[in-house]
């Protein structure tokens, strides 16, 4: 039983105490494989969904390279059918993507933690990426594409994580009538990541 508390007055205030922890899931020198589902959020004429696969490598905690592949399937919205059948609009000239493949540079400037219903602390990384690739359209054209993205990686363990991603693809392609137009595709993707080899703290 403690009886002498005279030394407590010399302790530093809590506001001056910093807790420094290693990253729960270090990324330097590790590969990341990702698989998930994606939906195109900004096309008023078509419903586009698909699967996404990513493979990346991190040189440091903040910088990495990542290869992206989107395999997509598309169906007409009711609005598009009405435009064609009732209004006589040539909807075949509307361009939509069938797939995308490209390479990104990833930048991870923010590492943080959040609570899950006050039951668990979940570490996460907030990242931004930019790159270039090719969008294959329904007409068979392979259009050069600028790809920008942001998202978060929520670590479940030192090897597995939940990841969401919001991607913007910008490209120029020809319709059936040969007219060249610019297109913006905004994809929301959610899935799981696997990091390897086994993590070792630096």
């Amino acid at each position: 039983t403690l009886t002498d508390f005279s030394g407590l007055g010399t302790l530093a205030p809590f506001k001056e105490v910093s807790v420094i922890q290693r990253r729960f899931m270090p990324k330097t020198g590790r590969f990341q494989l990702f698989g998930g589902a994606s939906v195109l959020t900004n096309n008023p004429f078509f419903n586009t969904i698909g699967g996404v696969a990513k493979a990346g490598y991190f040189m440091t905690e903040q910088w990495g390279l990542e290869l992206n592949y989107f395999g997509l399937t598309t169906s007409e919205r009711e609005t598009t059918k009405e435009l064609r059948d009732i209004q006589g609009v040539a909807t075949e000239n509307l361009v939509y993507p069938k797939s995308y493949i490209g390479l990104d540079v990833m930048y991870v400037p923010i590492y943080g933690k959040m609570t899950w219903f006050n039951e668990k602390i979940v570490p996460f990384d907030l990242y931004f990426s930019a790159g270039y690739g090719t969008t294959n359209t329904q007409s068979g054209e392979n259009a050069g594409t600028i790809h920008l993205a942001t998202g978060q990686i929520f670590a479940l363990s030192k090897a597995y994580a939940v990841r969401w991603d919001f991607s913007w693809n910008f490209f120029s392609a020809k319709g059936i009538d040969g007219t060249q137009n610019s297109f913006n595709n905004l994809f929301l993707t959610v899935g799981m990541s696997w990091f390897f080899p086994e993590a070792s703290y630096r």
Side-chain angles (χ1 to χ4, degrees), residues 158-197:
K158 293 182 178 66
Y160 295 97
V162 173
R163 174 177 173 180
W164 72 266
D165 182 280
F166 196 60
S167 298
W168 175 62
N169 284 6
F170 175 79
F171 63 95
S172 180
K174 292 181 179 179
I176 301 300
D177 63 358
T179 303
Q180 192 83 14
N181 291 299
S182 296
F183 298 90
N184 294 279
N185 289 336
L186 295 174
F187 293 97
L188 177 62
T189 304
V190 178
M192 294 289 296
S193 287
W194 174 45
F195 289 82
F196 65 97

Coordinates of all heavy atoms in Angstrom, one line a residue, residues 158-197:
K158 N -2.3 -7.3 -39.2 CA -1.0 -6.9 -39.9 C -1.0 -7.3 -41.4 O 0.0 -7.0 -42.1 CB 0.2 -7.3 -39.2 CG 0.4 -6.7 -37.8 CD 1.6 -7.1 -37.1 CE 1.8 -6.4 -35.8 NZ 0.8 -6.8 -34.8
A159 N -2.0 -8.1 -41.8 CA -2.0 -8.6 -43.2 C -3.3 -8.3 -43.9 O -3.2 -8.2 -45.2 CB -1.8 -10.2 -43.1
Y160 N -4.4 -8.1 -43.2 CA -5.6 -7.9 -43.9 C -6.3 -6.5 -43.6 O -6.1 -6.0 -42.5 CB -6.6 -9.0 -43.6 CG -6.2 -10.3 -44.1 CD1 -5.5 -11.2 -43.2 CD2 -6.4 -10.7 -45.4 CE1 -5.1 -12.4 -43.7 CE2 -6.0 -11.9 -45.8 CZ -5.3 -12.8 -45.0 OH -4.9 -14.0 -45.4
A161 N -7.0 -5.9 -44.6 CA -7.6 -4.6 -44.3 C -8.9 -4.5 -45.2 O -9.0 -5.1 -46.2 CB -6.6 -3.5 -44.7
V162 N -9.8 -3.7 -44.7 CA -10.9 -3.3 -45.5 C -10.6 -1.9 -46.2 O -10.0 -1.1 -45.6 CB -12.2 -3.1 -44.7 CG1 -13.3 -2.5 -45.5 CG2 -12.6 -4.4 -44.0
R163 N -10.9 -1.8 -47.5 CA -10.5 -0.6 -48.2 C -11.7 -0.1 -49.1 O -12.4 -0.9 -49.7 CB -9.3 -1.0 -49.1 CG -8.9 0.2 -50.1 CD -7.7 -0.3 -50.9 NE -7.4 0.7 -51.9 CZ -6.3 0.6 -52.8 NH1 -5.5 -0.5 -52.7 NH2 -6.1 1.5 -53.7
W164 N -11.9 1.2 -49.0 CA -12.8 1.8 -50.0 C -12.1 2.8 -50.8 O -11.0 3.4 -50.4 CB -14.0 2.5 -49.3 CG -13.6 3.7 -48.5 CD1 -13.3 3.9 -47.2 CD2 -13.6 5.1 -49.1 NE1 -13.1 5.2 -46.9 CE2 -13.2 5.9 -48.0 CE3 -13.9 5.6 -50.3 CZ2 -13.1 7.3 -48.2 CZ3 -13.7 7.0 -50.5 CH2 -13.3 7.8 -49.4
D165 N -12.6 3.1 -52.0 CA -11.8 3.9 -53.0 C -12.9 4.6 -53.9 O -13.8 4.1 -54.3 CB -11.0 3.0 -53.9 CG -10.2 3.7 -54.9 OD1 -10.7 4.1 -56.0 OD2 -9.0 3.9 -54.7
F166 N -12.6 5.9 -54.1 CA -13.4 6.7 -55.0 C -12.5 7.2 -56.1 O -11.6 8.0 -55.9 CB -14.0 7.9 -54.2 CG -15.1 8.6 -54.9 CD1 -16.3 7.9 -55.2 CD2 -15.1 9.9 -55.3 CE1 -17.4 8.5 -55.9 CE2 -16.1 10.5 -55.9 CZ -17.3 9.8 -56.2
S167 N -12.8 6.7 -57.3 CA -11.9 6.9 -58.5 C -12.6 7.8 -59.5 O -13.8 7.7 -59.8 CB -11.6 5.6 -59.1 OG -10.8 4.8 -58.2
W168 N -11.8 8.6 -60.2 CA -12.3 9.5 -61.3 C -11.5 9.2 -62.5 O -10.3 9.3 -62.5 CB -12.2 11.0 -60.9 CG -12.5 11.9 -62.0 CD1 -13.7 12.0 -62.6 CD2 -11.6 12.8 -62.6 NE1 -13.7 13.0 -63.6 CE2 -12.4 13.5 -63.6 CE3 -10.3 13.2 -62.5 CZ2 -11.8 14.5 -64.4 CZ3 -9.8 14.2 -63.3 CH2 -10.5 14.8 -64.2
N169 N -12.2 8.7 -63.5 CA -11.5 8.4 -64.8 C -12.0 9.5 -65.9 O -13.2 9.6 -66.1 CB -11.9 7.0 -65.3 CG -11.2 5.9 -64.6 OD1 -10.4 6.2 -63.7 ND2 -11.3 4.7 -65.1
F170 N -11.0 10.1 -66.5 CA -11.4 11.1 -67.5 C -10.7 10.6 -68.9 O -9.5 10.4 -68.9 CB -10.8 12.4 -67.1 CG -11.0 13.5 -68.2 CD1 -12.2 14.1 -68.4 CD2 -9.9 13.8 -69.0 CE1 -12.3 15.1 -69.3 CE2 -10.1 14.8 -70.0 CZ -11.3 15.4 -70.2
F171 N -11.6 10.5 -69.9 CA -11.1 10.1 -71.2 C -11.9 10.7 -72.3 O -13.0 11.2 -72.1 CB -11.1 8.6 -71.3 CG -12.5 7.9 -71.2 CD1 -13.2 7.6 -72.4 CD2 -13.0 7.6 -70.0 CE1 -14.4 7.1 -72.3 CE2 -14.3 7.0 -69.9 CZ -15.0 6.8 -71.1
S172 N -11.4 10.6 -73.5 CA -12.1 11.1 -74.7 C -12.3 10.0 -75.7 O -11.3 9.2 -75.9 CB -11.3 12.2 -75.4 OG -11.9 12.7 -76.5
A173 N -13.5 9.8 -76.2 CA -13.8 8.6 -77.0 C -14.8 9.0 -78.1 O -15.6 10.0 -78.0 CB -14.3 7.5 -76.2
K174 N -14.9 8.2 -79.2 CA -15.8 8.4 -80.3 C -17.1 7.6 -80.1 O -17.1 6.5 -79.6 CB -15.2 8.1 -81.6 CG -14.0 9.0 -82.0 CD -13.5 8.5 -83.4 CE -12.4 9.5 -83.8 NZ -11.8 9.1 -85.1
G175 N -18.2 8.2 -80.4 CA -19.5 7.5 -80.4 C -19.7 6.8 -81.8 O -18.8 6.8 -82.6
I176 N -20.8 6.1 -81.9 CA -21.1 5.4 -83.2 C -21.0 6.3 -84.4 O -20.6 5.9 -85.5 CB -22.4 4.7 -83.1 CG1 -22.5 3.7 -81.9 CG2 -22.7 3.9 -84.4 CD1 -21.4 2.6 -82.0
D177 N -21.4 7.6 -84.2 CA -21.4 8.5 -85.4 C -20.1 9.1 -85.6 O -19.9 10.0 -86.5 CB -22.5 9.6 -85.1 CG -22.2 10.5 -83.9 OD1 -21.2 10.2 -83.2 OD2 -22.9 11.4 -83.7
G178 N -19.1 8.7 -84.9 CA -17.7 9.3 -85.1 C -17.4 10.6 -84.3 O -16.3 11.1 -84.5
T179 N -18.4 11.1 -83.6 CA -18.1 12.3 -82.8 C -17.3 12.1 -81.6 O -17.5 11.1 -80.8 CB -19.5 12.9 -82.4 OG1 -20.3 13.1 -83.5 CG2 -19.2 14.2 -81.7
Q180 N -16.2 12.9 -81.4 CA -15.3 12.8 -80.3 C -15.9 13.6 -79.1 O -16.1 14.8 -79.3 CB -13.9 13.3 -80.7 CG -12.8 12.9 -79.7 CD -12.3 11.5 -79.9 OE1 -12.6 10.9 -80.9 NE2 -11.6 11.0 -78.9
N181 N -16.0 12.9 -78.0 CA -16.5 13.6 -76.8 C -15.7 13.2 -75.6 O -15.0 12.2 -75.6 CB -18.0 13.2 -76.5 CG -18.9 13.8 -77.6 OD1 -19.0 15.0 -77.8 ND2 -19.6 12.9 -78.3
S182 N -15.8 14.1 -74.5 CA -15.1 13.8 -73.3 C -16.0 13.2 -72.3 O -17.2 13.5 -72.2 CB -14.5 15.1 -72.7 OG -13.5 15.6 -73.6
F183 N -15.5 12.2 -71.5 CA -16.3 11.5 -70.5 C -15.7 11.5 -69.1 O -14.4 11.4 -69.0 CB -16.6 10.1 -71.0 CG -17.4 10.1 -72.3 CD1 -16.7 10.0 -73.5 CD2 -18.8 10.1 -72.3 CE1 -17.4 10.0 -74.7 CE2 -19.5 10.0 -73.5 CZ -18.8 10.0 -74.7
N184 N -16.5 11.5 -68.1 CA -16.0 11.4 -66.7 C -16.7 10.2 -66.1 O -18.0 10.2 -66.0 CB -16.4 12.7 -65.9 CG -15.6 13.9 -66.4 OD1 -14.4 14.1 -66.1 ND2 -16.2 14.7 -67.2
N185 N -16.0 9.3 -65.6 CA -16.5 8.2 -64.8 C -16.1 8.2 -63.4 O -14.9 8.3 -63.1 CB -16.1 6.8 -65.5 CG -16.7 6.6 -66.8 OD1 -17.8 7.1 -67.1 ND2 -16.0 5.8 -67.6
L186 N -17.1 8.2 -62.5 CA -16.8 8.3 -61.0 C -17.2 6.9 -60.5 O -18.4 6.5 -60.4 CB -17.6 9.4 -60.4 CG -17.2 10.8 -60.7 CD1 -18.1 11.8 -60.1 CD2 -15.7 11.1 -60.3
F187 N -16.2 6.1 -60.0 CA -16.4 4.8 -59.4 C -16.2 4.8 -57.9 O -15.3 5.3 -57.4 CB -15.4 3.8 -60.0 CG -15.5 3.6 -61.5 CD1 -14.8 4.2 -62.4 CD2 -16.5 2.6 -62.0 CE1 -14.9 4.0 -63.8 CE2 -16.6 2.4 -63.3 CZ -15.8 3.1 -64.2
L188 N -17.2 4.1 -57.2 CA -17.1 3.8 -55.8 C -16.8 2.4 -55.7 O -17.5 1.5 -56.1 CB -18.3 4.2 -55.1 CG -18.4 3.9 -53.6 CD1 -17.3 4.7 -52.9 CD2 -19.7 4.2 -53.0
T189 N -15.7 2.0 -55.0 CA -15.2 0.6 -54.9 C -15.0 0.3 -53.4 O -14.4 1.1 -52.6 CB -13.9 0.4 -55.6 OG1 -14.1 0.8 -57.0 CG2 -13.5 -1.0 -55.6
V190 N -15.4 -0.9 -53.0 CA -15.2 -1.4 -51.7 C -14.8 -2.9 -51.7 O -15.3 -3.6 -52.6 CB -16.5 -1.4 -50.8 CG1 -16.3 -1.9 -49.4 CG2 -17.1 0.1 -50.7
G191 N -13.8 -3.2 -50.9 CA -13.3 -4.6 -50.9 C -12.3 -4.8 -49.8 O -12.2 -4.1 -48.9
M192 N -11.5 -5.9 -50.0 CA -10.5 -6.4 -49.1 C -9.1 -6.3 -49.6 O -8.9 -6.6 -50.8 CB -10.8 -7.8 -48.6 CG -12.1 -7.9 -47.8 SD -12.0 -7.2 -46.2 CE -10.7 -8.2 -45.4
S193 N -8.1 -6.0 -48.8 CA -6.7 -6.0 -49.2 C -5.9 -7.0 -48.4 O -6.2 -7.3 -47.2 CB -6.1 -4.6 -48.9 OG -6.5 -3.7 -49.9
W194 N -4.9 -7.6 -49.0 CA -4.0 -8.5 -48.4 C -2.6 -8.0 -48.6 O -2.2 -7.7 -49.7 CB -4.2 -9.9 -49.0 CG -3.1 -10.9 -48.4 CD1 -2.8 -11.1 -47.1 CD2 -2.4 -11.8 -49.2 NE1 -1.8 -12.1 -47.0 CE2 -1.5 -12.5 -48.3 CE3 -2.3 -12.1 -50.6 CZ2 -0.7 -13.5 -48.7 CZ3 -1.4 -13.1 -51.0 CH2 -0.6 -13.8 -50.0
F195 N -1.9 -7.8 -47.5 CA -0.5 -7.3 -47.5 C 0.5 -8.5 -47.2 O 0.3 -9.2 -46.3 CB -0.3 -6.2 -46.5 CG -1.0 -4.9 -46.8 CD1 -2.3 -4.7 -46.5 CD2 -0.3 -3.9 -47.4 CE1 -2.9 -3.6 -46.9 CE2 -0.9 -2.7 -47.7 CZ -2.2 -2.5 -47.4
F196 N 1.6 -8.5 -48.0 CA 2.6 -9.5 -47.8 C 3.9 -9.0 -48.3 O 3.9 -8.1 -49.1 CB 2.2 -10.9 -48.5 CG 2.1 -10.7 -50.0 CD1 3.2 -11.1 -50.8 CD2 1.0 -10.2 -50.6 CE1 3.2 -10.9 -52.2 CE2 1.0 -10.0 -52.0 CZ 2.1 -10.4 -52.8
P197 N 5.1 -9.5 -47.9 CA 5.3 -10.6 -46.9 C 4.9 -10.2 -45.5 O 4.4 -9.1 -45.3 CB 6.8 -10.9 -47.0 CG 7.4 -9.6 -47.4 CD 6.3 -9.0 -48.3

